[in-house]
Amino acid sequence: MKPTLFVLAAGMGSRYGGLKQLDGLGPGGETIMDYSIFDAVRGGFGKVVFVIRHTFEQDFREKIIQKYENVIPVELVFQELDSLPPGFTLNPGRVKPWGTNHAVLMGKDVIKEPFAVINADDFYGRESFKILADYLLQSDGKKNDYCMIGYRIGNTLSESGAVARGICQTDADGFLTSVVERTHIERIDGNVEYKDDNDVFVKVDENTPVSMNMWGFTPDYFEYSEEIFKDFLKRNKDNITSEFFIPWVVNTLIQNKTARVKVLDTPSKWFGVTYAEDRPAVVNKINRLIEQGEYPAKLF
């Protein structure tokens, strides 16, 4: 069975301002997400599920989904603050979304096959989708055997400022041992450096794998996530800003030896609109890829 692509599109771009997912960057007004869907289809994915918020459903259906109607089957699921397991109620002071792994949980009723998770506003590159689809095709019927596309950190930086990345540690066989979120990474005098917990800059090798939130899971991941989320809610019932992130859940499953995660190297260069100033460079990069024959001028 072909794997499913699960696209996290419920977030608003706070630093960029506005709904990044609907910003046309290609020559025909294509969004970054359009390129992801195009790459996913040719890479071997068989269905797309978007998680969004109800507030922009109509906009999303009109501007995004209608493009894919004759290309690949599409489903929508919704992430809202009150989407909680039975027995839990929303703290009235809570306004912050619950985070990426809460968004993933919204897919549990519609995804029954191996699936990939990506951000809507990241350009991942053709090779990454093919590598991920090939791994997931072999995962059908398996459990507890996940994967992650590991980008080389030097291929993921912004020229407009510091970025946050999940820096990965792996064992001798290429399986993930931990993901540590570093919130300030930039290139300084030609070197990639991050700020550690004491605000001290630490150099890191160009090829160090980082997570760009491009994961591969089998459906058992939903069951584990729900149980871990219940525990998270109990422990954070008075913390109205706590977030339930994918790397946190993955780390938990690795540490308690429930699952393992293969880190798959990709030569793809990530890019995205982290800052408004990034936008012209992204438009130029897309145009260059079209000139090189990687993408047609009109995708759909």
Side-chain angles (χ1 to χ4, degrees):
M1 181 181 287
K2 285 186 174 183
T4 286
L5 183 69
F6 193 16
V7 184
L8 308 185
M12 300 287 280
S14 55
R15 275 186 291 191
Y16 183 46
L19 195 58
K20 284 195 281 191
Q21 292 87 342
L22 301 181
D23 187 17
L25 297 164
E30 290 87 358
T31 64
I32 282 181
M33 202 155 55
D34 290 335
Y35 288 95
S36 290
I37 304 306
F38 185 84
D39 282 336
V41 171
R42 64 178 171 176
F45 286 85
K47 181 174 79 174
V48 180
V49 177
F50 294 100
V51 55
I52 67 167
R53 280 189 245 156
H54 280 106
T55 47
F56 58 88
E57 179 183 359
Q58 186 177 348
D59 231 9
F60 201 86
R61 287 188 185 280
E62 290 172 3
K63 294 183 180 176
I64 300 289
I65 290 183
Q66 53 88 19
K67 296 185 215 180
Y68 312 137
E69 277 176 350
N70 300 314
V71 179
I72 191 169
V74 173
E75 290 192 54
L76 273 186
V77 294
F78 299 95
Q79 181 187 21
E80 302 295 348
L81 287 178
D82 59 358
S83 304
L84 299 174
F88 291 89
T89 53
L90 183 66
N91 183 321
R94 177 96 195 186
V95 292
K96 193 176 181 66
W98 289 107
T100 50
N101 210 88
H102 179 252
V104 169
L105 269 171
M106 300 305 104
K108 67 180 175 10
D109 292 331
V110 300
I111 298 174
K112 307 298 180 189
E113 56 283 317
F115 65 100
V117 175
I118 66 165
N119 293 332
D121 47 11
D122 287 321
F123 192 104
Y124 290 105
R126 177 181 187 169
E127 302 97 337
S128 300
F129 285 95
K130 181 80 172 83
I131 292 164
L132 194 48
D134 286 349
Y135 191 94
L136 290 173
L137 276 167
Q138 296 165 25
S139 300
D140 201 14
K142 292 183 183 175
K143 290 180 73 171
N144 309 330
D145 206 355
Y146 310 143
C147 66
M148 185 203 91
I149 295 291
Y151 281 78
R152 302 164 193 171
I153 194 169
N155 283 345
T156 73
L157 304 179
S158 165
E159 291 162 20
S160 306
V163 296
R165 300 283 179 257
I167 295 183
C168 302
Q169 301 291 326
T170 57
D171 65 17
D173 297 316
F175 287 95
L176 191 65
T177 54
S178 71
V179 185
V180 178
E181 189 71 15
R182 296 296 180 187
T183 55
H184 188 112
I185 305 171
E186 59 182 316
R187 194 179 291 282
I188 301 171
D189 298 328
N191 298 308
V192 181
E193 303 190 25
Y194 68 82
K195 271 188 189 175
D196 68 9
D197 297 338
N198 300 311
D199 270 359
V200 175
F201 276 104
V202 178
K203 285 183 186 173
V204 62
D205 185 270
E206 288 273 338
N207 294 316
T208 301
V210 293
S211 165
M212 297 305 302
N213 227 28
M214 192 177 201
W215 301 90
F217 299 116
T218 43
D220 46 286
Y221 185 76
F222 292 122
E223 299 156 38
Y224 299 133
S225 293
E226 185 134 51
E227 290 311 306
I228 295 170
F229 188 45
K230 288 175 186 174
D231 185 52
F232 170 89
L233 289 170
K234 287 172 191 165
R235 287 189 291 106
N236 290 279
K237 61 179 184 292
D238 298 320
N239 182 349
I240 58 171
T241 59
S242 57
E243 290 186 75
F244 187 57
F245 292 123
I246 295 169
W248 193 79
V249 176
V250 167
N251 271 334
T252 302
L253 295 173
I254 290 171
Q255 302 310 323
N256 64 22
K257 297 191 166 32
T258 300
R260 61 181 191 167
V261 179
K262 183 76 172 177
V263 177
L264 306 171
D265 176 57
T266 180
S268 291
K269 283 187 166 63
W270 170 95
F271 55 87
V273 185
T274 305
Y275 302 93
E277 295 81 10
D278 292 330
R279 193 182 186 281
V282 169
V283 171
N284 288 338
K285 285 172 183 171
I286 289 171
N287 283 332
R288 228 173 10 252
L289 288 168
I290 292 167
E291 287 165 14
Q292 291 164 4
E294 277 288 309
Y295 298 94
K298 182 172 171 50
L299 287 184
F300 302 112

